[in-house]
Amino acid sequence: MAGKATNIPTATILRLSIYHRYLQSLMERGTKVVSSAQLANGTNVNAAQLRKDLSYFGRFGVRGVGYNVSKLLRQIKEILGLGKSWNMALIGAGNIGKALLQHKQFENHGYNFVLVFDKTPFRVGKEILPGIEVHHIDKLKELAATTPIDLAVIAVPASQAQEMADTIIEAGISGILNFAPARLKVPNHVALQHVDFTTLLDTLTYALSTKEKKGAYYNKKKEENRNTRWDSPQSWPDHMINYSNLLVTK
Amino acid sequence: MAGKATNIPTATILRLSIYHRYLQSLMERGTKVVSSAQLANGTNVNAAQLRKDLSYFGRFGVRGVGYNVSKLLRQIKEILGLGKSWNMALIGAGNIGKALLQHKQFENHGYNFVLVFDKTPFRVGKEILPGIEVHHIDKLKELAATTPIDLAVIAVPASQAQEMADTIIEAGISGILNFAPARLKVPNHVALQHVDFTTLLDTLTYALSTKEKKGAYYNKKKEENRNTRWDSPQSWPDHMINYSNLLVTK
DNA sequence: GAGACTAAGTGACTTAATTCACAATATATT
DNA sequence: AATATATTGTGAATTAAGTCACTTAGTCTC
Ligand SMILES: NC(=O)c1ccc[n+]([C@@H]2O[C@H](COP(=O)([O-])OP(=O)(O)OC[C@H]3O[C@@H](n4cnc5c(N)ncnc54)[C@H](O)[C@@H]3O)[C@@H](O)[C@H]2O)c1
Ligand SMILES: NC(=O)c1ccc[n+]([C@@H]2O[C@H](COP(=O)([O-])OP(=O)(O)OC[C@H]3O[C@@H](n4cnc5c(N)ncnc54)[C@H](O)[C@@H]3O)[C@@H](O)[C@H]2O)c1
């Protein structure tokens, strides 16, 4: 486990998660060994980049052979902190919130909604899922004290989002996934990600628009240009993500 | 409208969308003029960066004064292609798909679901929204020929996602927003964005994990370090996006 | 209408991320 | 045991993105 002291690119962490998912599918298919070229191809990244990404954390492969799928999977889990199960609180049990609660995949990945909050009277007190009651948002701090929460998911209207973030942080939670279309301000010790549908749609319309009226705001160059810049509508290179969301990833 | 020939950073487009949204809120509040510093502060970016982002497309401000809110808003709309209304097809009318259909905000922004597809017998034929019937996926090509579709939203299980992407592209649609946890391969002329919840959650767990056992995989540095690297759990610098997917965005 | 003041626009610089290309090291083969 | 072959790991080079800091061009005041 070498582990470099170098700064790790943010995008590397995003990609690690993507490799992780692909490795899981390889596991299911029974693949034992995979080369950086195969793994990179399956996740749409450059093979050298994949190797460099891993090299920030250690040396996991065997030269001339490749990577042992289950071993690499275990090691990426370790790096990303996916060894344990993570308790999540949902803030806002509306359309999106309910879809998230229903999503079985989260549990499989160790993400569990253990508390759900809302404000609207007709939602509060209902049993939204077997064993999961909707609590009033005012009880967040109190309940978070007994049930330790690692992550909070914000799914309230944008106008309420910053206030909710503040409440969440005050309750001692320091990881937030925000679905509201608002860029939140949080102190440095809090990890935050935005899931921003409209912004992503806007990048698509930009791509399609520049495609049509080529030359208006942009000058067309080499058509064969790889998926990296906005010369032509294309896939996202990364970050993006964002980058990203970020964000933002091919 | 100067319009530089330079390559435009992918992250610039993401940010443009974010400025756009913030400008809309300023409009609603009746603000007439805004400085780059204010606008940057409201969107959590560096003021110089905001000015540079705009400079790729022209000169929209007045020196010594700032930007006219409604004028800048109009110009960003123009750049991003938000002047027109965009027809969308939804592929997969399950949990997430239904939440998206319900979402009123999309219409306000010019994004309209005009066709909905699924495969499961009990969903096909139902009127899922007033005036919107769920069609069988096999009819996509046929219906897209009569109702022009600009963008497709994929909300089917990951195992079906690549196949759906291929079908969509074959039907002549060249913008895709994908919610399935799978990295899709598309030809160069197709614009693609991934909305990847789990990957974003994974970056949060990484941040929280490294926070706890500082020094394991990372070496703690200046604590005051601004939100830019993975030295400590923090906000996403951008892209991340995008990128990123990236993607990724503070 | 001269001078003070403010904030945009941008070239130069800095920092970050990606890719190249090859040395290092494993396995397989004869 | 020597050689062929494959694929990792990584410094060096390249490319991209972000920030600084100054110049320019407006408005406002007196
Ligand atoms: N539904 C979508 O497809 C979609 C798409 C993109 C973005 N979003 C965003 O996600 C967020 C939620 O969207 P939605 O469609 O689920 O909205 P929704 O109106 O269906 O649900 C919002 C829920 O939040 C609750 N709420 C409001 N203020 C609250 C507060 N202060 N404390 C606790 N609960 C509170 C409401 O009672 C409601 O149940 C919004 O910001 C929306 O813009 C949703
Ligand atoms: N629900 C969530 O909160 C959530 C969160 C993250 C990711 N996702 C992803 O979004 C996707 C959809 O999730 P969901 O929860 O809505 O699942 P779901 O099972 O509720 O809905 C999927 C729908 O797709 C339809 N479908 C399946 N194959 C199809 C095909 N070939 N053609 C047309 N329709 C088809 C199914 O009939 C079903 O109605 C999945 O890939 C899921 O992993 C969902």
Side-chain angles (χ1 to χ4, degrees):
Chain A
M1 297 239 175
K4 298 304 165 48
T6 339
N7 280 340
I8 295 156
T10 53
T12 289
I13 306 304
L14 272 177
R15 283 191 298 266
L16 241 33
S17 168
I18 293 165
Y19 305 148
H20 174 257
R21 183 154 62 208
Y22 191 76
L23 285 165
Q24 279 184 318
S25 78
L26 289 178
M27 270 291 263
E28 282 158 24
R29 274 186 268 159
T31 310
K32 291 273 181 286
V33 173
V34 68
S35 72
S36 66
Q38 294 169 315
L39 188 43
N41 184 259
T43 50
N44 295 344
V45 309
N46 177 298
Q49 177 152 78
L50 155 33
R51 292 198 299 273
K52 175 137 289 188
D53 284 341
L54 295 177
S55 80
Y56 290 117
F57 301 96
R59 315 166 87 167
F60 307 117
V62 179
R63 294 182 191 215
V65 179
Y67 301 90
N68 176 296
V69 171
S70 84
K71 189 177 148 215
L72 184 57
L73 187 57
R74 224 174 325 116
Q75 275 157 323
I76 294 183
K77 264 195 213 307
E78 168 74 18
I79 294 166
L80 293 177
L82 301 178
K84 60 167 279 192
S85 153
W86 295 86
N87 282 348
M88 303 200 294
L90 174 66
I91 321 291
N95 278 319
I96 266 281
K98 277 187 282 187
L100 293 170
L101 284 177
Q102 232 89 61
H103 193 54
K104 283 281 165 245
Q105 224 67 54
F106 286 139
E107 284 180 35
N108 302 341
H109 289 278
Y111 294 112
N112 299 297
F113 284 109
V114 294
L115 287 176
V116 177
F117 298 92
D118 207 295
K119 189 173 84 168
T120 308
F122 82 86
R123 291 205 201 279
V124 176
K126 296 267 165 65
E127 191 177 24
I128 197 165
L129 276 187
I132 305 272
E133 186 194 329
V134 178
H135 299 282
H136 193 278
I137 184 66
D138 291 346
K139 289 195 158 176
L140 172 58
K141 205 166 172 181
E142 178 191 334
L143 290 169
T146 13
T147 312
I149 301 293
D150 304 297
L151 303 168
V153 174
I154 296 182
V156 300
S159 59
Q160 309 286 308
Q162 183 63 59
E163 192 186 325
M164 289 302 101
D166 298 344
T167 308
I168 287 161
I169 294 164
E170 212 190 315
I173 301 167
S174 45
I176 298 178
L177 186 64
N178 172 42
F179 284 82
R183 308 318 275 193
L184 306 178
K185 293 205 196 289
V186 299
N188 215 256
H189 74 281
V190 174
L192 169 68
Q193 286 285 14
H194 295 274
V195 181
D196 202 334
F197 301 53
T198 345
T199 286
L200 294 177
L201 283 174
D202 289 353
T203 69
L204 295 180
T205 63
Y206 173 79
L208 298 186
S209 303
T210 47
K211 184 194 182 185
E212 278 155 32
K213 43 170 183 180
K214 19 190 149 204
Y217 277 126
Y218 99 110
N219 72 331
K220 183 161 110 88
K221 293 226 175 109
K222 348 138 201 170
E223 253 305 345
E224 78 299 340
N225 208 356
R226 289 241 310 328
N227 310 331
T228 319
R229 299 311 222 81
W230 285 115
D231 283 313
S232 61
Q234 92 282 56
S235 308
W236 205 248
D238 147 299
H239 76 6
M240 47 282 278
I241 130 306
N242 246 232
Y243 182 230
S244 236
N245 174 154
L246 307 179
L247 171 159
V248 194
T249 326
K250 160 138 185 174
Chain B
M1 301 236 172
K4 297 303 165 48
T6 338
N7 279 342
I8 295 156
T10 53
T12 289
I13 305 305
L14 272 177
R15 284 191 298 267
L16 241 34
S17 169
I18 292 165
Y19 306 147
H20 173 258
R21 184 155 60 208
Y22 191 76
L23 285 164
Q24 279 184 318
S25 78
L26 290 179
M27 270 292 263
E28 282 159 23
R29 275 187 267 159
T31 310
K32 292 272 181 286
V33 173
V34 69
S35 71
S36 66
Q38 294 170 314
L39 188 44
N41 184 258
T43 50
N44 296 343
V45 309
N46 176 299
Q49 175 152 79
L50 156 34
R51 293 198 298 274
K52 175 140 288 187
D53 283 341
L54 295 177
S55 81
Y56 290 117
F57 301 96
R59 315 165 89 171
F60 306 117
V62 180
R63 294 183 190 212
V65 179
Y67 301 90
N68 176 295
V69 172
S70 84
K71 189 177 149 216
L72 183 58
L73 187 57
R74 226 174 322 117
Q75 277 159 321
I76 294 183
K77 265 194 212 306
E78 169 73 17
I79 294 166
L80 293 177
L82 302 177
K84 59 167 283 195
S85 152
W86 294 85
N87 281 347
M88 302 200 295
L90 174 67
I91 319 294
N95 278 321
I96 265 281
K98 277 187 279 188
L100 294 170
L101 283 177
Q102 234 89 62
H103 192 53
K104 283 282 165 244
Q105 224 66 53
F106 286 140
E107 284 180 33
N108 302 341
H109 289 278
Y111 294 112
N112 300 296
F113 284 109
V114 295
L115 287 175
V116 177
F117 298 91
D118 208 295
K119 191 172 85 169
T120 307
F122 82 86
R123 291 207 200 279
V124 175
K126 295 266 164 65
E127 190 178 23
I128 197 164
L129 276 187
I132 305 273
E133 187 195 328
V134 178
H135 299 283
H136 193 279
I137 185 67
D138 290 347
K139 288 194 157 177
L140 171 59
K141 206 167 173 180
E142 178 190 335
L143 290 169
T146 14
T147 311
I149 302 293
D150 304 298
L151 304 168
V153 174
I154 295 182
V156 300
S159 58
Q160 308 286 307
Q162 182 64 59
E163 191 185 326
M164 288 302 103
D166 298 344
T167 307
I168 287 161
I169 293 163
E170 211 191 315
I173 300 168
S174 43
I176 299 178
L177 186 64
N178 172 42
F179 283 83
R183 310 316 276 193
L184 306 177
K185 292 204 195 291
V186 299
N188 215 258
H189 75 280
V190 174
L192 169 68
Q193 286 285 14
H194 295 273
V195 181
D196 202 333
F197 302 54
T198 346
T199 286
L200 295 178
L201 282 174
D202 290 352
T203 69
L204 295 180
T205 62
Y206 173 79
L208 299 186
S209 303
T210 48
K211 183 193 182 185
E212 278 155 34
K213 42 169 184 182
K214 17 191 150 203
Y217 277 125
Y218 98 110
N219 71 329
K220 184 162 113 86
K221 293 231 176 105
K222 345 135 207 178
E223 251 307 344
E224 76 301 342
N225 209 355
R226 288 244 309 327
N227 309 332
T228 318
R229 296 314 221 79
W230 284 115
D231 282 315
S232 62
Q234 91 282 57
S235 309
W236 205 246
D238 146 301
H239 70 16
M240 238 220 154
I241 220 80
N242 127 282
Y243 187 97
S244 238
N245 215 277
L246 30 264
L247 189 189
V248 190
T249 325
K250 160 142 183 171

